[in-house]
Amino acid sequence: MNSLSRSADARSPLVFDVHEMSRQAGTMKEISRSVPAPADLGVEMMRVPEGSPIALELRLQSVVEGIWVSGTADVELAGECSRCLTPLEDEASFDLEELFVHPDREADEDATFVVDERIDLEPALRDAVVLDLPFTPLCREDCAGLCTICGANLNDDPEHTHGEQVDPRWSTLLRVDTDDN
Ligand SMILES: [Zn+2]
Ligand SMILES: [Zn+2]
């Protein structure tokens, strides 16, 4: 038992029992299942909604060092355009590859281990998702963003100008804003 390894929560849908997989290299198991997304999976402007279905297609292979996992996770995405804040929805497929080392084997400090005959895919999934998601997603490549004066969406109103004709209600608000600072 490797006391340094975080114990895998057997109730997590991303934890898989591998005890029935023989330590004989060559044993292989395919897993196809849908699991609910954990909380806080994503980046600030784009994330996998908590509880939304993640379709996992996994291949677990018993190799000499441990259990080699490869496959894909298909997810739903929700976020906002980083320029105009329009809600965005998308789908994405992430490749997963992770070696879970048997606890009695020598390995690097940052290696991932089999713990209590289980493997926890959540950290690998988080890494894959966070590395791949855009930090500044856009509703479209040339999104015009929001008017810095009144906050109007410039995609809806490309000819938008203020000139001298600022709506008096807005100019009052703006003055109040400035006075507050
Ligand atoms: Zn936009
Ligand atoms: Zn404006």
Side-chain angles (χ1 to χ4, degrees):
M1 190 71 51
N2 190 315
S3 59
L4 292 175
S5 299
R6 186 165 70 92
S7 184
D9 182 351
R11 291 163 305 175
S12 163
L14 288 162
V15 169
F16 296 87
D17 192 315
V18 293
H19 95 274
E20 80 278 16
M21 289 188 74
S22 142
R23 288 213 173 187
Q24 253 181 324
T27 312
M28 200 265 282
K29 184 177 170 183
E30 282 180 330
I31 296 176
S32 177
R33 84 167 59 151
S34 174
V35 303
D40 302 319
L41 181 58
V43 295
E44 192 182 348
M45 303 297 285
M46 187 66 86
R47 62 218 149 258
V48 181
E50 183 176 357
S52 65
I54 298 179
L56 294 173
E57 295 286 341
L58 302 174
R59 175 184 289 238
L60 278 53
Q61 282 174 280
S62 179
V63 297
V64 176
E65 301 87 350
I67 306 287
W68 170 253
V69 179
S70 59
T72 56
D74 291 346
V75 305
E76 295 173 5
L77 295 174
E80 297 90 43
C81 172
S82 58
R83 282 186 202 155
C84 73
L85 305 180
T86 297
L88 301 177
E89 287 186 1
D90 205 352
E91 294 174 347
S93 183
F94 298 102
D95 290 329
L96 297 175
E97 282 195 344
E98 186 82 17
L99 174 65
F100 292 84
V101 181
H102 287 308
D104 56 358
R105 290 221 159 229
E106 295 280 324
D108 293 344
E109 258 180 39
D110 59 352
T112 309
F113 287 91
V114 177
V115 181
D116 298 342
E117 309 279 358
R118 298 187 194 104
I119 60 173
D120 183 0
L121 268 184
E122 188 171 326
L125 177 65
R126 284 188 182 280
D127 286 352
V129 168
V130 170
L131 283 176
D132 216 54
L133 285 183
F135 277 87
T136 55
L138 295 175
C139 60
R140 56 176 211 229
E141 203 60 41
D142 60 348
C143 170
L146 300 178
C147 171
T148 53
I149 295 173
C150 72
N153 188 331
L154 298 178
N155 298 304
D156 299 335
D157 192 2
E159 303 303 317
H160 188 93
T161 57
H162 285 285
E164 304 301 320
Q165 297 98 28
V166 177
D167 184 315
R169 285 169 301 173
W170 281 113
S171 74
T172 306
L173 287 176
L174 286 168
R175 227 181 359 258
V176 169
D177 261 344
T178 313
D179 290 345
D180 279 352
N181 298 331

